[in-house]
Amino acid sequence: MEEKKYLKWYNKVGYGSGDIAGNVVYAFLSTFVLIYLTNTVGLKSGIVGTLIAVSKLFDGVTDVFFGAMIDKTKTKMGKARPWMLYGYIGCAVTLIAIFAIPENIGETAQYIWFFIAYSLLNAVFYTANNIAYSALTALITRNSKERVEMGSYRFIFAFSTSLLIQSVTIKFVSLMGGGAAGWRMVAIVYAVIGLAVNTISVLAVKELPEEEGAKVKKEEKYSMREAAGLLFSNKYYLMICVTYILQQIYSAMLSMGIYYMMYVLNNENLFPVFSWAINIPLIIALVATPQLVTRWGGLYKLNLTGYAIGTIGRILVIPAAYYGSVPLMLLFTAVAAFGMGPWQGDMNAVIANCSEYTYLTKHKRVDGTMYSCTSLGVKLGGGLGTAITGWLLEFSRFDKKLSVQPDSCLNMLHMMYLWIPAVLCIVITILMSRMNVEKANKELMVHTER
């Protein structure tokens, strides 16, 4: 029997546009914060990395907290939309603060300023906004095909925004006068754009009444500790969490490619070219994902096969780089991105299945809390990736004053841009092979019917 349809095309597009707002924060921050702090503000990459790592200690607690709060929220707007709407105001303010560190307050005060603004952005405001946004996948439709389509629309906007930001930001900063003032003005522009688009996305959808999907006779009440227990008793949640964290570390390593282009390939203008080689194949794969899911008869085989292809592509980037062929590097980078595309498009649907697994095994609905893995992955993985980059640059004796870096630094840039991403892809593919939550749910439902 065909599933009931809940969404019009404009609901799906409106929802997906919310990742424009998310990525004017995340793509801008993860790609450029370190180069801004080291080469413009003059802070040390190792100390910055440590501050980012310390900031991550708050993230796990706030992810579960806001997920549980969303599950317990009841307003005319629904559970998630209020958190998505108001959380972004804080995102906009703290993003500007990070890229507006005063030049005349002393180095120690600059580190403190960055740490406070970065922690508030990641542990509070981005958490509330991103978990709410992700949870809407389960709250505005019960149709599995629509959930996949929502994920595809979402990440088409996400990678398009990332591509645009990675392509134009350096020149945009220069156009705005360069230096600290240029970065500050660009952050303001991005924050205003994000605020406007986030509001449109919130208003483009409506949450379903609780009785539409959750066949629960009485209101569910559970503490934050119980919510965390429900999450961590779900092995698929743990696998998705680890996968998402590793993916974000992977993305952070590729984002530091701006250092690789500047100091290894000696051409910073290649960074936007590699961004195109990553994001265009991803977008093409995302467009095809809903049809591929139908053709492959589900999510598991498609995700595993796609990621295996992506891993092979990323491994082949290594010999291409040592051979000195930029065209081959671009080709294999594109192959890797295309293979990883389906998972990006249907990941939210997999998480929705993961939430269903908790309901089938524990008989509790934790949709909002379940989507904490997306925020946790972005913040913890992206933050750790940036922190690790800072530590490794410091360890390799990177010096922003040198146009030609020492061999120790150049070797480390090869390690970060080539070898670490390949190893991460292998580990993620192994995790994918164990992540057949669809099959587990079907077996549980058959058992329940008996």
Side-chain angles (χ1 to χ4, degrees), residues 296-310:
W296 283 64
L299 309 173
Y300 172 72
K301 290 181 180 179
L302 175 62
N303 291 336
L304 179 58
T305 303
Y307 230 93
I309 293 171

Side-chain angles (χ1 to χ4, degrees), residues 120-182:
L120 286 173
L121 172 60
N122 282 276
V124 181
F125 301 117
Y126 188 85
T127 299
N129 173 267
N130 188 257
I131 293 178
Y133 179 52
S134 298
L136 283 175
T137 304
L139 296 174
I140 66 177
T141 179
R142 301 295 173 185
N143 185 303
S144 58
K145 184 177 179 181
E146 287 181 337
R147 286 172 174 172
V148 173
E149 290 172 342
M150 288 168 63
S152 292
Y153 278 114
R154 172 183 179 176
F155 285 102
I156 287 170
F157 280 110
F159 293 121
S160 298
T161 305
S162 293
L163 173 60
L164 184 63
I165 287 176
Q166 291 168 357
S167 299
V168 307
T169 295
I170 295 296
K171 291 186 178 180
F172 192 13
V173 170
S174 179
L175 184 65
M176 291 294 102

Side-chain angles (χ1 to χ4, degrees), residues 13 24 27 95 107 113 152 160 168 189 191 204 260 309 332-333 365 377 382:
V13 173
V24 295
L95 180 69
E107 189 175 85
W113 177 293
S152 292
S160 298
V168 307
V189 172
Y260 189 87
I309 293 171
F332 295 132
T333 295
R365 290 282 176 188

Side-chain angles (χ1 to χ4, degrees), residues 32-111:
F32 296 106
V33 69
L34 196 58
I35 199 82
Y36 159 72
L37 292 172
T38 59
N39 288 25
T40 299
V41 182
L43 302 183
K44 295 181 179 179
S45 60
I47 297 176
V48 170
T50 300
L51 292 176
I52 290 174
V54 171
S55 175
K56 297 300 107 182
L57 297 175
F58 302 107
D59 283 350
V61 175
T62 58
D63 281 303
V64 176
F65 171 77
F66 282 112
M69 290 298 293
I70 289 168
D71 282 327
K72 295 178 181 180
T73 296
K74 286 189 175 182
T75 71
K76 291 182 179 180
M77 289 182 66
K79 292 176 174 289
R81 291 200 302 156
W83 293 96
M84 179 179 169
L85 179 64
Y86 298 118
Y88 201 88
I89 297 173
C91 289
V93 172
T94 49
L95 180 69
I96 294 169
I98 289 172
F99 287 90
I101 297 175
E103 299 176 80
N104 57 354
I105 61 173
E107 189 175 85
T108 300
Q110 288 176 328
Y111 284 120

Side-chain angles (χ1 to χ4, degrees), residues 145-385:
K145 184 177 179 181
E146 287 181 337
R147 286 172 174 172
V148 173
E149 290 172 342
M150 288 168 63
S152 292
Y153 278 114
R154 172 183 179 176
F155 285 102
I156 287 170
F157 280 110
F159 293 121
S160 298
T161 305
S162 293
L163 173 60
L164 184 63
I165 287 176
Q166 291 168 357
S167 299
V168 307
T169 295
I170 295 296
K171 291 186 178 180
F172 192 13
V173 170
S174 179
L175 184 65
M176 291 294 102
W183 284 104
R184 181 172 61 248
M185 184 55 65
V186 169
I188 291 171
V189 172
Y190 286 166
V192 171
I193 292 172
L195 196 58
V197 176
N198 183 76
T199 303
I200 293 170
S201 182
V202 169
L203 299 177
V205 296
K206 183 180 292 186
E207 294 180 34
L208 298 173
E210 290 187 40
E211 59 269 18
E212 176 74 33
K215 299 177 181 178
V216 184
K217 293 182 179 179
K218 61 181 181 179
E219 182 181 354
E220 297 182 36
K221 295 181 179 180
Y222 48 87
S223 66
M224 180 175 158
R225 181 177 179 179
E226 290 171 325
L230 289 169
L231 292 184
F232 292 109
S233 65
N234 186 328
K235 63 181 179 180
Y236 297 106
Y237 171 84
L238 296 176
M239 283 189 276
I240 291 173
C241 255
V242 174
T243 297
Y244 209 77
I245 290 168
L246 294 178
Q247 282 182 310
Q248 297 305 314
I249 295 175
Y250 170 88
S251 296
M253 288 295 149
L254 295 191
S255 292
M256 58 71 54
I258 189 166
Y259 288 94
Y260 189 87
M261 308 307 159
M262 290 175 66
Y263 299 112
V264 176
L265 299 181
N266 299 312
N267 185 358
E268 67 179 37
N269 292 323
L270 282 174
F271 184 68
V273 179
F274 275 87
S275 296
W276 280 75
I278 294 169
N279 289 288
I280 294 300
L282 274 171
I283 293 168
I284 294 171
L286 288 167
V287 171
T289 293
Q291 290 74 31
L292 290 172
V293 169
T294 301
R295 181 173 295 182
W296 283 64
L299 309 173
Y300 172 72
K301 290 181 180 179
L302 175 62
N303 291 336
L304 179 58
T305 303
Y307 230 93
I309 293 171
T311 299
I312 292 170
R314 195 65 218 176
I315 291 171
L316 290 174
V317 172
I318 299 173
Y322 283 106
Y323 182 68
S325 174
V326 170
L328 281 178
M329 288 181 69
L330 290 167
L331 172 63
F332 295 132
T333 295
V335 170
F338 184 80
M340 298 172 192
W343 165 255
Q344 301 291 345
D346 64 35
M347 178 183 61
N348 274 8
V350 176
I351 299 172
N353 288 339
C354 190
S355 184
E356 191 67 20
Y357 180 82
T358 291
Y359 178 70
L360 291 170
T361 54
K362 304 296 182 181
H363 309 294
K364 287 185 177 291
R365 290 282 176 188
V366 287
D367 294 324
T369 314
M370 188 63 64
Y371 279 88
S372 65
C373 62
T374 60
S375 175
L376 181 65
V378 169
K379 297 182 308 168
L380 187 56
L384 284 176

